[in-house]
Amino acid sequence: MAIAARRTKAGAPAKAAGKNPAKTAARTAKGDSKAISNTPVFNKDEELHAYREMLLIRRFEEKAGQMYGMGLIGGFCHLYIGQEAVVIGMQMASKEGDQIITGYRDHGHMLACGMESRGVMAELTGRRGGYSRGKGGSMHMFSREKNFYGGHGIVGAQVSLGAGLGFANWYRQDGRVSMAYFGDGAANQGQVYESFNMAELWKLPVVFVIENNRYAMGTAVNRASAQTDFSRRGVSFNIPGEQVDGMDVRAVRAAGQRAIEHARSGKGPYILEMQTYRYRGHSMSDPAKYRSKDEVQRMREEHDPIEQVRGRLTREHKLGEDEFKAIDAKVREIVNDAAEFATHDPEPDVSELFTDILLEPAQA
């Protein structure tokens, strides 16, 4: 299965980038494409940073899935396992003050922003130490301190809100860029295109990141989308787009740097189609019978974003098994601590039912 196939002017699939995952396609506003064939190189510190951050998301999500199965987490729970390179690569490309907003597959984005594992897990279990004091759950966590403006349960809603963040940045001339994440399913929502139009009209500093994990809620993209090259979705609005191997954190960071610089320099919005893959179902309640186990296993073996970095650290930087075990042990310690906290932290007081509802008038 190819990870980042691009399309030529005639619309025919080009050589699959699964055999050469370095290749992505930048697309101009007119719809032409150009190959970017040089995979960027990470130094040892960059590889280690990417490895630790992606591993933290992976282990956190595995623990969240386990706790959901134990009945400690209720409601909906959408895991990010397999897609870790997207948000980590984008964060490596961003600057302090840049904002993130996303949909309901959001735990990885929170951790990537630097939100505390304890607070995220406590919110999942409905405890007072959670980021929304236990009242929001998986889909409703925010941190203005970390410039994370929420996971959102309404499909596509975050795109227009992300454009609004971009408008605020444009109005204030503060040099910040908003990154609005959404999936291949949400890409067909009408409000997405209204946001595209407004963002390009006013040259808003927004990067639209489409996390194309190929199945939306459970329907393959070729059955649900007439145009499956999502990097072309902005063509009618003159928004440039680029297809990216979303399983390679190096390719993600490089594309993110190009897109963010485009937006920050006043040229307007940019679309990045991250071709990625989720290993679990749409949510914890989804058995994912619409795809084969062999397909998932093949993706894990051939394209896993964490194993790619581990392989490079082993081959090129001579990291040994003991060093990897030490990193994994530290990450598991963080995640286990978060789970312990989220299990024993008290539930919100009943009085919390009446907070954050009305805006109280300012005192004279």
Side-chain angles (χ1 to χ4, degrees):
M1 179 176 289
I3 287 293
R6 65 181 177 84
R7 293 187 180 274
T8 62
K9 293 181 181 180
K15 184 178 180 181
K19 296 180 179 179
N20 184 4
K23 287 193 175 182
T24 58
R27 194 171 304 281
T28 68
K30 295 181 180 180
D32 300 329
S33 65
K34 57 182 179 180
I36 302 173
S37 57
N38 294 325
T39 303
V41 176
F42 275 12
N43 61 35
K44 182 179 179 180
D45 288 342
E46 290 168 333
E47 295 279 28
L48 280 169
H49 172 80
Y51 184 78
R52 291 191 187 101
E53 294 298 305
M54 290 193 293
L55 191 63
L56 175 62
I57 295 174
R58 178 72 58 90
R59 296 290 181 251
F60 183 96
E61 293 290 65
E62 289 170 348
K63 178 62 75 172
Q66 180 185 9
M67 294 174 69
Y68 187 94
M70 296 168 62
L72 296 171
I73 296 174
F76 291 101
C77 186
H78 306 80
L79 303 182
Y80 201 60
I81 297 174
Q83 300 183 211
E84 298 91 350
V86 176
V87 72
I88 295 303
M90 288 300 297
Q91 283 302 99
M92 291 177 76
S94 68
K95 293 182 178 179
E96 186 175 354
D98 292 341
Q99 304 128 328
I100 281 185
I101 190 167
T102 188
Y104 39 72
R105 197 178 309 281
D106 52 3
H107 313 150
H109 301 74
M110 298 172 195
L111 297 174
C113 286
M115 292 170 66
E116 293 292 332
S117 299
R118 277 189 166 196
V120 177
M121 194 69 85
E123 189 60 41
L124 293 178
T125 57
R127 307 305 173 109
R128 67 175 62 175
Y131 272 95
S132 296
R133 296 195 291 280
K135 300 190 296 181
S138 181
M139 301 185 191
H140 303 94
M141 278 183 263
F142 304 82
S143 175
R144 290 191 64 181
E145 177 190 5
K146 300 298 183 180
N147 290 304
F148 179 76
Y149 286 81
H152 292 266
I154 299 175
V155 176
Q158 72 274 21
V159 182
S160 52
L161 295 173
L165 289 169
F167 178 82
N169 296 335
W170 170 83
Y171 184 81
R172 295 169 181 149
Q173 294 295 297
D174 57 18
R176 296 182 173 185
V177 172
S178 163
M179 288 167 280
Y181 291 78
F182 56 105
D184 49 287
N188 293 323
Q189 291 280 324
Q191 61 193 314
V192 171
Y193 297 95
E194 295 178 69
S195 302
F196 285 176
N197 188 54
M198 183 178 292
E200 177 59 25
L201 271 174
W202 293 342
K203 300 296 183 185
L204 302 182
V206 184
V207 176
F208 297 106
V209 184
I210 304 175
E211 297 194 74
N212 178 8
N213 62 28
R214 309 185 185 201
Y215 289 101
M217 288 184 66
T219 304
V221 291
N222 61 346
R223 296 181 58 212
S225 298
Q227 171 56 273
T228 58
D229 182 345
F230 292 93
S231 70
R232 293 177 58 89
R233 292 300 181 95
V235 168
S236 60
F237 305 101
N238 293 320
I239 301 176
E242 183 175 337
Q243 285 185 324
V244 186
D245 180 356
M247 304 297 273
D248 186 336
V249 68
R250 302 169 303 171
V252 173
R253 189 188 70 169
Q257 288 172 333
R258 291 189 291 270
I260 291 171
E261 174 56 29
H262 177 96
R264 203 186 308 277
S265 65
K267 297 177 182 178
Y270 202 99
I271 294 173
L272 292 175
E273 179 196 346
M274 299 293 179
Q275 297 191 326
T276 184
Y277 197 85
R278 56 173 166 79
Y279 297 160
R280 302 289 185 94
H282 172 69
S283 70
M284 285 298 296
S285 60
D286 173 21
K289 293 182 178 179
Y290 39 82
R291 60 186 184 182
S292 69
K293 291 182 180 180
D294 288 343
E295 176 185 305
V296 178
Q297 186 61 30
R298 187 165 63 252
M299 292 298 295
R300 281 182 176 272
E301 292 175 354
E302 298 177 7
H303 300 288
D304 186 80
I306 298 174
E307 288 302 315
Q308 288 187 52
V309 179
R310 182 186 176 108
R312 292 194 297 271
L313 283 168
T314 301
R315 293 188 307 270
E316 299 166 21
H317 301 289
K318 311 306 179 186
L319 254 70
E321 189 63 27
D322 289 344
E323 293 169 284
F324 287 115
K325 286 181 178 179
I327 294 171
D328 190 60
K330 180 61 178 178
V331 168
R332 288 182 186 275
E333 180 183 336
I334 294 169
V335 171
N336 289 335
D337 173 74
E340 184 73 11
F341 175 77
T343 303
H344 296 95
D345 191 46
E347 294 184 353
D349 189 80
V350 174
S351 62
E352 280 289 351
L353 290 170
F354 305 101
T355 62
D356 305 318
I357 296 174
L358 299 175
L359 178 65
E360 296 182 3
Q363 297 296 321

